[in-house]
Amino acid sequence: MGFNRARIAIDAMGGDFAPGEIVAGAIRAKAELDVDVALVGDVDQIKASTASPEQLVGIELVPAEGSIEMHEEPLSALRKKPQASINVAMDLVKRNEADAVVSAGHSGAAMAAALLRLGRLKGIDRPAIGAVFPTVVANKSVLILDVGANVDCRPKYLEQFAIMGTIYSRYVLGVDTPRVGLINIGEEPCKGNDLALKAHQLFEENPNIPFAGNAEGRDILSGQFDVVVCDGFVGNVLLKFAEAVGESVLQILREELPQGVRGKIGASILKPNLRRIKQRVDHAEHGGGLLLGVAGVTVISHGSSQAPSVFNAIRLAKEAVDNRVQDRIQAQYQRVAIPAADGE
């Protein structure tokens, strides 16, 4: 878009801990990532959320009026509040004044704003939210999509999700030949409901999908697959269940390890290991989900995101911009080659 480095518009008013934690995450991203940041929202509140004005040096503040509340119906609220922070942030991308949007606010409003303001990529019927999860294999992740954008799906939607997931896995996660799985109740091709059976056939017949077969629930985090595809109903249940499991594991470790003198000594010795465990299972370490299939990079973060999660969401947006994920998806459907990025 003409910028020397990724420029990220951040919905400063979206989320349970806005604007303080959102601003803190943005400040850290500005300092540690090779990225430009624009905070969108109530300028006075943004300034008041920092310890000193110097922390906002180099960060653009873009005024907006209000935000979309969690109880509001997305479409009607977006129309009633044209200057809401998520609308203004999307408009920056639409006008080529930013490369991406990050929001921890109303997820339905973020999806609707992206569709209304940016539109779908040609050839994509439904955008999908892709979320990256850790696996039992160290330094290996799995991308799951859709995790909430489309509760009801047709087989061709899942086929498109698989193609978009393959591109993301290859160019952002660095997997040369991603193994794509289709969530099902059994590994046999004859298993599953009508959607799974028809999607399985489409996956097998599409040369652009490196299909590795059905993925049962126990396979998702095994490291056997790089991309796992499902409808948004199943994916959202998986997302929230996985987040709860990660939080439960961390809470159990906090409660059990320090028990007794030996436990306290052991917990002290194991502190570096525990920190690595947290990095692998804590959803905050992954930042959020990327809305694939819209004509602009959009990262949707958890509503309870605090500064570390916001920082990682900005990192995720930067990676998608730097690796031109949306351009590659569009090129796939237009059969147009695009130049390799530096280092490819």
Side-chain angles (χ1 to χ4, degrees), residues 14-320:
D16 299 341
F17 300 101
E21 292 295 319
I22 310 299
V23 173
I27 291 171
R28 180 186 165 194
K30 174 67 177 176
E32 298 182 22
L33 301 175
D34 186 24
V35 64
D36 289 325
V37 169
L39 285 167
V40 182
D42 186 307
V43 173
D44 290 336
Q45 288 189 45
I46 292 172
K47 290 179 177 179
S49 70
T50 62
S52 65
E54 288 76 18
Q55 290 183 301
L56 294 172
V57 171
I59 295 177
E60 182 181 1
L61 304 184
V62 180
E65 298 175 6
S67 62
I68 308 301
E69 303 295 333
M70 293 304 296
H71 66 273
E72 294 182 286
E73 195 282 323
L75 284 175
S76 60
L78 289 170
R79 292 189 176 106
K80 290 177 182 177
K81 301 177 179 180
Q83 294 304 309
S85 54
I86 188 62
N87 276 330
V88 174
M90 290 294 175
D91 283 340
L92 291 177
V93 174
K94 184 177 181 180
R95 296 195 303 266
N96 291 335
E97 295 174 13
D99 293 297
V101 173
V102 170
S103 176
H106 194 311
S107 59
M111 287 186 287
L115 284 169
L116 290 171
R117 254 58 182 190
L118 307 178
R120 294 190 299 269
L121 293 174
K122 293 181 180 178
I124 300 298
D125 291 289
R126 294 288 189 276
I129 302 175
V132 177
F133 288 83
T135 71
V136 296
V137 180
N139 301 316
K140 182 178 177 62
S141 301
V142 60
L143 175 70
I144 301 179
L145 73 168
D146 177 26
V147 294
N150 307 276
V151 174
D152 297 305
C153 286
R154 298 178 183 179
K156 69 174 182 177
Y157 301 165
L158 299 189
E159 181 184 21
Q160 292 171 5
F161 299 168
I163 292 172
M164 293 191 292
T166 298
I167 292 170
Y168 184 89
S169 181
R170 180 175 293 140
Y171 292 104
V172 177
L173 301 181
V175 183
D176 291 335
T177 306
R179 291 174 56 84
V180 177
L182 174 66
I183 287 187
N184 207 329
I185 59 172
E187 64 181 22
E188 300 87 352
C190 59
K191 288 286 185 71
N193 55 18
D194 188 59
L195 174 63
L197 293 171
K198 290 180 178 178
H200 189 284
Q201 183 177 353
L202 291 177
F203 283 27
E204 282 193 322
E205 294 173 352
N206 194 319
N208 296 307
I209 300 174
F211 186 42
N214 287 336
E216 297 183 76
R218 62 189 175 192
D219 301 323
I220 295 172
L221 303 182
S222 69
Q224 180 181 347
F225 297 96
D226 301 291
V227 179
V228 173
V229 178
C230 58
D231 63 56
F233 183 92
V234 172
N236 195 260
V237 172
L238 284 174
L239 172 69
K240 291 173 180 175
F241 180 75
E243 289 175 350
V245 169
E247 291 168 359
S248 298
V249 169
L250 293 174
Q251 183 61 33
I252 290 170
L253 288 172
R254 292 189 194 100
E255 292 175 358
E256 295 297 330
L257 281 179
Q259 296 296 322
V261 176
R262 291 181 180 178
K264 291 178 181 178
I265 295 173
S268 177
I269 295 172
L270 292 173
K271 188 171 292 184
N273 304 72
L274 295 173
R275 190 176 297 114
R276 288 194 294 271
I277 290 172
K278 181 179 186 298
Q279 290 174 343
R280 288 181 64 176
V281 304
D282 189 357
H283 67 85
E285 296 292 333
H286 300 281
L290 185 66
L291 184 61
L292 295 165
V294 294
V297 174
T298 301
V299 174
I300 299 175
S301 296
H302 200 287
S304 61
S305 292
Q306 298 189 45
S309 186
V310 174
F311 170 84
N312 285 310
I314 296 170
R315 175 185 51 77
L316 179 63
K318 169 185 161 53
E319 290 173 351

